[in-house]
Amino acid sequence: MTSLGVYLRGILMGAADIVPGVSGGTMAFITGIYDDLLGAIRAVDLEFARKVLKLDIRGAWEHINGGFLLALLLGIVTAVATLAQLLSWVLEYHPVPLWAFFFGLILASSLVLLKQVPAWNTGRLVCLAAGIAVAVTIALAPMVNLDFGLPGVFLAGFLAICAMILPGISGSFILVLIGMYGPTLLAVKSLDLAYLAVLATGAVFGLMVFSRLLHWLLQRFHEATMALLTGFLFGSLLVVWPWKRVLAWVESSSGGLKPAQQVPVLPDSFLVQTGTDPQTLLCMALMVFGFCLVWLVERRWGQEAGASP
């Protein structure tokens, strides 16, 4: 896999992370670099620390597949720097068509992942159903409150980063569900360094622990794990369904209100309940476009990634 290919995948991951409810891990799965990403993160271990302390920078770089991580990070940063404002504007003024586009992306991603399980049996079907059930529960769950001091902040960072590297589940969405989105937003605005340091520490621990767990599962129970993660993707379709009724709100980064709990509705019900044009034909066209885009990406890069060691 070339550095340019990894960089382009990073752009896709960064673009996905910008939109609430969509995970960069989803794009990593679509483009076939999920295993490589987990392996690189898992390589930040005691051996890596030993090489750094011995000033063996070249050895440490090679140990964590530094070229891969650098190209991926540059792609993510590029996407955030160039697309954040555009996607934020679209999300604010044309949210329904944007969610329709992402619905098509994730639906196609789910079907692509189904191909990663060559033979289905009862156990793998149970894993698929479990993944769907977990994602649906998260998507429809009301907020809980973990705002009980710095231990809650640590746990919030731990859970959010775990969600970010799972396909189909957004870390920011998890923060909303556990009641920590508002406090975290306030800490960022006020530069509460103690809060942010504890949050980052929790995220680092979560990344180290969860990436190793996922890597171990993929190595030992690859098909069952893929079935479970595919279920996460199918279940997350409720998160990006374009027509929703809001049940609860939370403060957004702009100081306004952001949906904290929503339930999907049909376009006709959306029109009646919100008084907003559901733009059904446009949304259906964007769903198809997003669906086709994923299949094109998978055909162009999925095969290449699958051939990589």
Side-chain angles (χ1 to χ4, degrees):
M1 188 188 306
T2 66
S3 295
L4 177 60
V6 176
Y7 174 77
L8 293 175
R9 289 165 168 84
I11 290 178
L12 292 174
M13 288 182 64
D17 280 325
I18 293 169
V19 178
V22 181
S23 169
T26 299
M27 291 301 167
F29 246 109
I30 294 171
T31 56
I33 61 170
Y34 196 71
D35 286 353
D36 291 334
L37 177 60
L38 290 181
I41 295 172
R42 188 177 60 90
V44 181
D45 53 13
L46 293 177
E47 178 64 18
F48 170 74
R50 184 183 66 81
K51 291 179 182 293
V52 171
L53 291 175
K54 289 185 175 182
L55 299 182
D56 182 9
I57 304 303
R58 181 187 181 93
W61 183 260
E62 293 175 349
H63 181 71
I64 63 171
N65 197 359
F68 169 84
L69 286 178
L70 178 61
L72 192 68
L73 181 61
L74 288 175
I76 293 173
V77 171
T78 299
V80 172
T82 58
L83 297 177
Q85 188 171 359
L86 173 61
L87 283 178
S88 295
W89 180 85
V90 176
L91 189 61
E92 181 176 358
Y93 293 102
H94 304 283
V96 174
L98 181 63
W99 287 122
F101 173 68
F102 274 92
F103 184 90
L105 287 179
I106 294 180
L107 177 60
S109 305
S110 304
L111 297 178
V112 168
L113 288 190
L114 282 178
K115 300 194 303 181
Q116 302 296 318
V117 183
W120 288 91
N121 55 32
T122 302
R124 293 167 191 170
L125 288 173
V126 169
C127 290
L128 177 69
I132 293 173
V134 169
V136 168
T137 300
I138 291 174
L140 300 180
M143 288 194 304
V144 297
N145 190 0
L146 289 185
D147 191 6
F148 49 82
L150 292 182
V153 175
F154 180 90
L155 183 58
F158 188 97
L159 294 175
I161 200 67
C162 292
M164 282 181 185
I165 60 176
L166 277 175
I169 300 178
S170 165
S172 61
F173 185 68
I174 293 298
L175 287 177
V176 170
L177 289 180
I178 61 179
M180 295 297 287
Y181 181 82
T184 300
L185 181 62
L186 181 61
V188 172
K189 287 181 177 179
S190 61
L191 289 179
D192 186 341
L193 297 182
Y195 183 106
L196 296 176
V198 174
L199 186 76
T201 302
V204 169
F205 270 86
L207 193 62
M208 295 299 100
V209 172
F210 200 61
S211 63
R212 283 165 170 75
L213 173 62
L214 276 178
H215 187 271
W216 181 82
L217 289 172
L218 286 168
Q219 291 294 315
R220 303 292 179 89
F221 311 101
H222 186 271
E223 287 76 14
T225 304
M226 291 300 298
L228 179 69
L229 297 179
T230 303
F232 286 151
L233 272 185
F234 274 117
S236 71
L237 289 172
L238 286 182
V239 177
V240 294
W241 178 253
W243 303 285
K244 308 182 188 78
R245 180 166 64 92
V246 179
L247 301 180
W249 299 85
V250 70
E251 184 184 2
S252 71
S253 57
S254 61
L257 294 178
K258 172 182 177 178
Q261 184 184 12
Q262 304 177 92
V263 292
V265 296
L266 294 176
D268 290 345
S269 298
F270 178 81
L271 174 61
V272 171
Q273 294 170 9
T274 67
T276 303
D277 182 5
Q279 301 173 277
T280 306
L281 292 179
L282 174 61
C283 288
M284 296 300 293
L286 287 171
M287 285 181 184
V288 172
F289 176 66
F291 188 95
C292 294
L293 184 60
V294 168
W295 279 101
L296 288 174
V297 169
E298 196 271 340
R299 286 178 64 85
R300 170 62 182 87
W301 289 317
Q303 299 289 340
E304 173 187 320
S308 302

